[in-house]
Amino acid sequence: GFAKVDHHRKKRQGFPEVIFGEGKDPTQIINISRAMINKQENVLVTRIEQTKAETVMKSLPDFQYDVASRTLFMKNNDENVQTSGYIAIVCAGTSDLPVAEEAAKTAEAFGVEVRRFYDVGVAGIHRLFAHIEEIQNATVSVVIAGMEGALPSVVGGLVSHPVISVPTSVGYGANFQGLSALLTMLNSCASGISVVNIDNGFGGAYNAVMIQRIANTH
Amino acid sequence: GFAKVDHHRKKRQGFPEVIFGEGKDPTQIINISRAMINKQENVLVTRIEQTKAETVMKSLPDFQYDVASRTLFMKNNDENVQTSGYIAIVCAGTSDLPVAEEAAKTAEAFGVEVRRFYDVGVAGIHRLFAHIEEIQNATVSVVIAGMEGALPSVVGGLVSHPVISVPTSVGYGANFQGLSALLTMLNSCASGISVVNIDNGFGGAYNAVMIQRIANTH
Amino acid sequence: GFAKVDHHRKKRQGFPEVIFGEGKDPTQIINISRAMINKQENVLVTRIEQTKAETVMKSLPDFQYDVASRTLFMKNNDENVQTSGYIAIVCAGTSDLPVAEEAAKTAEAFGVEVRRFYDVGVAGIHRLFAHIEEIQNATVSVVIAGMEGALPSVVGGLVSHPVISVPTSVGYGANFQGLSALLTMLNSCASGISVVNIDNGFGGAYNAVMIQRIANTH
Amino acid sequence: GFAKVDHHRKKRQGFPEVIFGEGKDPTQIINISRAMINKQENVLVTRIEQTKAETVMKSLPDFQYDVASRTLFMKNNDENVQTSGYIAIVCAGTSDLPVAEEAAKTAEAFGVEVRRFYDVGVAGIHRLFAHIEEIQNATVSVVIAGMEGALPSVVGGLVSHPVISVPTSVGYGANFQGLSALLTMLNSCASGISVVNIDNGFGGAYNAVMIQRIANTH
Amino acid sequence: GFAKVDHHRKKRQGFPEVIFGEGKDPTQIINISRAMINKQENVLVTRIEQTKAETVMKSLPDFQYDVASRTLFMKNNDENVQTSGYIAIVCAGTSDLPVAEEAAKTAEAFGVEVRRFYDVGVAGIHRLFAHIEEIQNATVSVVIAGMEGALPSVVGGLVSHPVISVPTSVGYGANFQGLSALLTMLNSCASGISVVNIDNGFGGAYNAVMIQRIANTH
Amino acid sequence: GFAKVDHHRKKRQGFPEVIFGEGKDPTQIINISRAMINKQENVLVTRIEQTKAETVMKSLPDFQYDVASRTLFMKNNDENVQTSGYIAIVCAGTSDLPVAEEAAKTAEAFGVEVRRFYDVGVAGIHRLFAHIEEIQNATVSVVIAGMEGALPSVVGGLVSHPVISVPTSVGYGANFQGLSALLTMLNSCASGISVVNIDNGFGGAYNAVMIQRIANTH
Amino acid sequence: GFAKVDHHRKKRQGFPEVIFGEGKDPTQIINISRAMINKQENVLVTRIEQTKAETVMKSLPDFQYDVASRTLFMKNNDENVQTSGYIAIVCAGTSDLPVAEEAAKTAEAFGVEVRRFYDVGVAGIHRLFAHIEEIQNATVSVVIAGMEGALPSVVGGLVSHPVISVPTSVGYGANFQGLSALLTMLNSCASGISVVNIDNGFGGAYNAVMIQRIANTH
Amino acid sequence: GFAKVDHHRKKRQGFPEVIFGEGKDPTQIINISRAMINKQENVLVTRIEQTKAETVMKSLPDFQYDVASRTLFMKNNDENVQTSGYIAIVCAGTSDLPVAEEAAKTAEAFGVEVRRFYDVGVAGIHRLFAHIEEIQNATVSVVIAGMEGALPSVVGGLVSHPVISVPTSVGYGANFQGLSALLTMLNSCASGISVVNIDNGFGGAYNAVMIQRIANTH
Ligand SMILES: Nc1ncnc2c1ncn2[C@@H]1O[C@H](COP(=O)(O)O)[C@@H](O)[C@H]1O
Ligand SMILES: Nc1ncnc2c1ncn2[C@@H]1O[C@H](COP(=O)(O)O)[C@@H](O)[C@H]1O
Ligand SMILES: Nc1ncnc2c1ncn2[C@@H]1O[C@H](COP(=O)(O)O)[C@@H](O)[C@H]1O
Ligand SMILES: Nc1ncnc2c1ncn2[C@@H]1O[C@H](COP(=O)(O)O)[C@@H](O)[C@H]1O
Ligand SMILES: [Mg+2]
Ligand SMILES: [Mg+2]
Ligand SMILES: [Mg+2]
Ligand SMILES: [Mg+2]
Ligand SMILES: [Mg+2]
Ligand SMILES: [Mg+2]
Ligand SMILES: [Mg+2]
Ligand SMILES: [Mg+2]
């Protein structure tokens, strides 16, 4: 078939490929999954709606679907990132939850512990301070925010570890589907903040897992 | 001449016109000023560079030039906004100072007390908290920030009075000359925040003065 | 649960939280509402479509739904902003009505009197002049316009109180979903105009209520 | 040489070519002018700075330079648009004057009477009403505005003839070099308004002259 | 009700208001129409889909619906623009037809003769030349094009009357819903071209009718 | 040093590297040139201003500078693209000349014949038709235009060979430094048109030379 | 009818017109097809969804529908581009397949051999190198990529023939429906790359076929 | 004075503040530096032009200026990030050098070893492969590219450590001052890539140093 599954990637990058579910039909997802199962790889599918997931699970019933994050996962080995630390997943509002959970589930699929700090946006900053110590003790934070996207700037000024920030498309009007939050994060005057694409919870977590792995292998 | 000085405005709006210095030559500024002086109005010129100001002052030596705010001012009457309260002028970084001072001098030209809280940006948020009570006690705040422009969201969540936010063009790259800060402020998830044009310190102060006047006349 | 209702806000800001209905399911809205009812707070839900509202009202029949503004409201106390003045809600065209009514209902929920001046856009400016005196006598105006968004500039030049302007997404083509109206308002050559996000009737009213409260408490 | 002067145009369009001075060196302007002089055509050069114009005038001393409009003009025949009516040139602020004068001088070069209504922007709308009858009696209006560019909407609603609107780059910040005014004019809710490029005073006048000619030839 | 029908407009502008059907429900359209019928005005509704039109026609059966232009029209008097000339409606491709017909029906509703020149885009320029003389003999042209929008530049260089150009949203990708065609027309190097909003066939025709009326009344 | 001259490229692509002069200082240009001279390669430097070129020529006097195209060239071998056909370089206005000449000089540096058709823009389309047959007989055309950029669409509809189109930054206002012309070319409804970056005369010619070489080697 | 089929085009361009199916109803497509069938021309319809295609095939059963490329084709003659070489169609990811197949089917409809190299994106660059020699031996490449669109830059640096690059709208967030990939390709630092519109597989192939024909006719 | 040096930051973040030189005058830089010297902190000033640096060095002669990176540095203690690994600084072209060196000097100022891999852009990909193993052995890479910005995608697919990508403003036309490279990096289909602001070499290095420190402290 046309899709060339990148088994080589695990060699190059230490992680198996993750299947991007959007725009793939169930058959394509089943085929790619089977190829990975044959190699005893853990299989994670992101951005897959419930009905599509259910069709896939008819063929591959060992998959587990998670509604909040819209992910399918099947554990086929224990090659985890052995981890003494944890990743803080911090998000601004309840509407950012799907992206936050995509990040959380991705990190957990790679065997890393995550701690969730949700609905702690800057407009009520006492909510953030209530948890700040536990956030500071993480190895790395993934900070997720829509609307004006100011949360990473505040977190970045309070922690001494890297912050991966994820803008979300939550908002309306002059938000321009996440552009506002994206620009905010790129222009942060706090140091130690880097950015991934709008709504890319997967990407935020993937970067964090790579950093967590450094902590464990050094 | 072509310029029609809007003396009528003071009737309609309670404030004399303020002269926008940019793009006007010294002669134009002198002529408009003279017309206002003839009516015993206070004259404020904003956005005027030092050399141009000096040319104007050769003809009108009663003007006082202020470098930081790039304003010229001449007091010709005492029709102040009598004020029991004060306006908080809050700014994020030292580079925002020219805009902050334009705001401060404008408010002072209208006879309103201002208190300055400068270089208290969100990346080092303890600097803001050190002054928060005095900010909370203001009648209204003008909050000025460039780069990601997150400061109004944090202030807006901590005070119970209106916040006029002023984005500045300070920054580079994906800041797009203040667009990033502008969008941040328009999308703020804190309530009670409104926005004026990029670098418009004058406009921020003008709105605040109008609100302060309500406090005094009711 | 994940949502952290910000009861603290009333302390900090003097107003209870308002529930943004868009993107929340009925159960989330019911839960947040109950938490607020328990504290005897008035509950306002904005941006909620009729069918969703009806589901909520099955559990909480004391809510009243208003079609034009798409809001739910329940009055649980009388802690109004005691007001001797009123807010003028001015809008340009009939298509701006939903945003104008969101503003009006928000202000009324906070116990402030509003007066409505609708369909008075600049292309037939005699319609505005027919009402100008009553607008001039307001404490503050909320001016709402789509398309080219010119109305706040004209109103701003005719009144001596603050104008909060709200661009709407009404229009097509080079309107870019309200961007045109937004830019118009940010660039207004009238003084005393500030701007909130596109279609943010709630935000326009919230700022106006804060200003009206200043009138009443000073 | 490379430039192909379009003498044919006068046949096709009834008007000789107008020389766009920007980006042309004096020699190029002199050569094109000479070709036109040889045909007894009137020669108009737009967008030419004073020093460049003076170099041109050393070779062609019959040219007249006009500072305000940055144009050079030489009259070589009387083939005017014979006109019983006039064009109203209306502009919002004193900074729009160079564009307004480019329009006025262009129309006059084609032999059409213009009447100037300057500094009558919408923020002080009584200034417009003071002249509205004389504007209404024009055959066509050219309305020029920067900043928010609202003037054509107001004029368009008050006159019964076509309005050619010209956005200018006057402004700063969210004005984006005239984009704000351009969008305002394209989205005008007044009918009978069409738009030309930012700062294109020449183009505004050219359209108006074509319309005035229809009045005279029918 | 909220809508203020602008009967005054006919006095000011010589034409009755035209009803913009988009975003209005049938009841609103019926009410506004009835108010106009009472004054014996001709009623034109634009941008109204067939099913909505049929609902309106149940109450007002004298309306005639035209599918191609999505307009409703009812003739209640003969106050036409008496016309010896005609308007050329020129369009580039078959997909531009709805906008072209909106223009044509609008002009005809005002009693002006139109001649249609459709599918004559620049990529096969012999199709335009086949009709160029009849286009040149019009009083004014309305030129409609999507995609790259180049047709007005070519027509503008071949005729000696004003060209009103209408960009359409026809196209895909880097067309950005008509932005590409709009920019093309604003930057045309042909003189005598002005522009209205994307897909604004009505506006193109309205300007042309105003110009045609000048031809007839002088 | 830091720069790695890509001698390998001639192997891979059949052409030596061309030096992009902008942003390089004379010493860097001299060093890279010397490395190429040592390999008997022809050396072409583009986008180099006269004064910088003169500094380079003090060290490397065999270079020839061409003002119109801002290029330096030195011929060190005869490995030309042997060519029976020619490339048509077509441009819309005289201001596009620097880009057109950059294209022409680049093609000539690779040993290909070019024929120039300048100032034949669509607003006076008879100028194009005067030369159309000679353009049709070319192997490939490079069509260069600023402002609205419509010329490639017209040429593309008249020839049966590939058209490489080059938008230029010539224009002002809504031209946005060439964006308008770029979008026009990308959306062309003529087939057989591809596009390179704004002002990229070099790139337009390089593509054309590659196509001409196919003609010669097949 | 309104559509003017451009039979003349085959004379001017050597290829018959191809029907753009989007926005045309089945009747329009049938009519245009019949006119071409009458002239014994091969008929290709692009961008036509299955259900619409099936309606067309009820009237014209000789059409063949291809799901992957969404094209209809009918062969009515053998006037192929006789070809000794082939076009390489290279694409980055499986989601780009519809655009790649539109390109492939277009080239094949003109009688040119294509070779497909799919799912060889830059993030796993060994997949490209596995096929690079066969790509290098093509006459011309059409390189298709969404997301960041980097593939043409890498291919362009490895081959000595022209690369036509086609950005796709595949991606999300800061991809802006293909804008990101489009800009990448326009700014490629590899030489010999030109670009067509987003998702324009047809246009990419058409340019390549024109180049392939040069190879065959010289 | 107005600037509040954030000594607290070292406590919170483990690193002293770095002085952003742009927009600060020599006196401001000297004052902030002195405050840091008093605390025995290492002082790094970025984005400072040579002449300004020389003025500062007259007062503080222990500073060392580096032309390529436009940085001033003074070492006042040995509190380095003790490091067993190194950071790879990879850049695409010679014009990206100032940004690359800003990154390199920043990392070195924090006591981390860097290895430089310059001018290895994707258009000549063999240059990258010549060094790939040494890049793969780094703890983290900072990858810097202008124009189309494709390099991080290729590097990201070849290494198993985090990649911090830095877009530069190098390029012209449709590059839009680095926007093109920025979007490319945000949309990378390689995993493990995060992005900082355009030209923000400092930020890229700061993130990398934070990650390197994790390697050393775990
Ligand atoms: N939610 C996600 N967002 C962005 N990228 C993803 C996501 N899930 C998976 N990916 C990436 O997409 C790649 C697979 O793309 P594909 O070949 O289209 O399945 C994986 O290797 C991941 O790098
Ligand atoms: N219509 C509205 N538009 C914008 N913001 C709103 C609106 N209604 C409520 N809000 C704000 O949204 C906040 C609640 O957001 P959430 O936590 O998502 O319910 C409230 O405190 C208000 O500040
Ligand atoms: N100020 C102006 N703005 C826009 N277009 C102008 C201006 N002055 C002249 N033109 C047009 O530019 C054309 C001449 O361009 P050129 O051949 O470059 O001199 C004239 O025929 C006019 O249509
Ligand atoms: N080249 C640079 N680019 C971006 N940010 C920088 C740069 N150099 C220093 N900074 C940041 O700017 C902050 C200092 O800003 P300031 O208070 O304006 O001097 C430092 O703490 C750094 O986080
Ligand atoms: Mg909340
Ligand atoms: Mg600071
Ligand atoms: Mg109305
Ligand atoms: Mg004025
Ligand atoms: Mg057609
Ligand atoms: Mg010319
Ligand atoms: Mg793949
Ligand atoms: Mg190089």
Side-chain angles (χ1 to χ4, degrees), chain D residues 54-81:
Chain D
E54 280 160 1
T55 310
V56 171
M57 291 168 80
K58 278 190 194 125
S59 301
L60 295 170
D62 287 347
F63 261 128
Q64 301 233 313
Y65 186 67
D66 177 70
V67 178
S69 61
R70 296 162 306 154
T71 56
L72 270 178
F73 184 59
M74 191 194 300
K75 197 164 178 55
N76 296 311
N77 68 50
D78 282 315
E79 289 173 24
N80 287 344
V81 172

Side-chain angles (χ1 to χ4, degrees), chain B residues 131-185:
Chain B
H131 302 279
I132 194 66
E133 237 173 293
E134 198 176 355
I135 296 172
Q136 284 167 329
N137 289 332
T139 309
V140 54
S141 291
V142 179
V143 184
I144 296 147
M147 311 273 300
E148 81 268 58
L151 189 55
S153 288
V154 175
V155 173
L158 293 168
V159 302
S160 62
H161 58 243
V163 170
I164 316 294
S165 54
V166 187
T168 74
S169 55
V170 169
Y172 63 90
N175 173 283
F176 299 117
Q177 285 86 51
L179 180 63
S180 170
L182 171 64
L183 295 182
T184 301
M185 293 170 186

Side-chain angles (χ1 to χ4, degrees), chain E residues 28-114:
Chain E
Q28 292 177 304
I29 293 170
I30 291 164
N31 288 344
I32 305 178
S33 299
R34 284 211 171 112
M36 295 178 72
I37 295 166
N38 285 343
K39 306 240 170 191
Q40 265 83 43
E41 282 175 5
N42 295 333
V43 189
L44 176 66
V45 188
T46 62
R47 297 204 164 208
I48 178 163
E49 293 311 317
Q50 183 141 17
T51 51
K52 202 198 281 184
E54 280 160 3
T55 309
V56 171
M57 292 168 80
K58 278 190 193 123
S59 301
L60 295 170
D62 287 350
F63 262 127
Q64 301 233 313
Y65 186 67
D66 178 70
V67 179
S69 61
R70 296 163 304 156
T71 56
L72 270 177
F73 184 58
M74 193 194 301
K75 198 165 179 55
N76 296 310
N77 69 49
D78 281 316
E79 291 173 23
N80 287 346
V81 172
Q82 291 308 315
T83 165
S84 53
Y86 58 88
I87 297 174
I89 312 263
V90 185
C91 90
T94 47
S95 320
D96 301 320
L97 213 138
V99 179
E101 277 301 301
E102 184 183 291
K105 290 294 178 204
T106 298
E108 289 171 348
F110 287 110
V112 179
E113 183 189 351
V114 307

Side-chain angles (χ1 to χ4, degrees), chain E residues 119 127, chain G residues 4 17:
Chain E
D119 202 18
R127 299 175 299 182
Chain G
K4 302 191 171 53
E17 208 172 347

Side-chain angles (χ1 to χ4, degrees), chain D residues 135-202:
Chain D
I135 296 172
Q136 284 168 330
N137 288 333
T139 309
V140 53
S141 291
V142 179
V143 183
I144 296 148
M147 310 274 299
E148 82 268 58
L151 189 55
S153 289
V154 175
V155 173
L158 294 168
V159 302
S160 62
H161 57 243
V163 170
I164 316 294
S165 55
V166 187
T168 74
S169 55
V170 169
Y172 63 92
N175 172 282
F176 300 117
Q177 285 85 50
L179 180 63
S180 170
L182 171 64
L183 295 182
T184 301
M185 293 169 186
L186 286 167
N187 288 291
S188 179
C189 50
S191 304
I193 292 180
S194 65
V195 190
V196 298
N197 198 0
I198 298 164
D199 290 332
N200 191 0
F202 160 77

Side-chain angles (χ1 to χ4, degrees), chain B residues 92-95 119-121 127, chain H residues 3-6 9 17 24 32:
Chain B
T94 46
S95 319
D119 203 16
V120 297
R127 300 175 297 182
Chain H
K4 303 191 171 53
V5 182
D6 190 359
R9 180 194 283 225
E17 206 169 349
K24 297 210 175 65
I32 304 178

Side-chain angles (χ1 to χ4, degrees), chain G residues 7-8 11 14 22 39 47 59 64 67 78-79 81 86 95 101 105 113 124 135 139 145 168 171 178 182 200 205 215:
Chain G
H7 296 301
H8 196 252
K11 283 244 173 55
E22 210 168 281
K39 305 239 171 190
R47 298 204 163 209
S59 300
Q64 302 233 313
V67 178
D78 282 314
E79 290 173 23
V81 172
Y86 57 89
S95 319
E101 278 302 301
K105 290 294 178 204
E113 184 189 350
I135 296 171
T139 309
T168 74
L182 171 64
N200 190 0

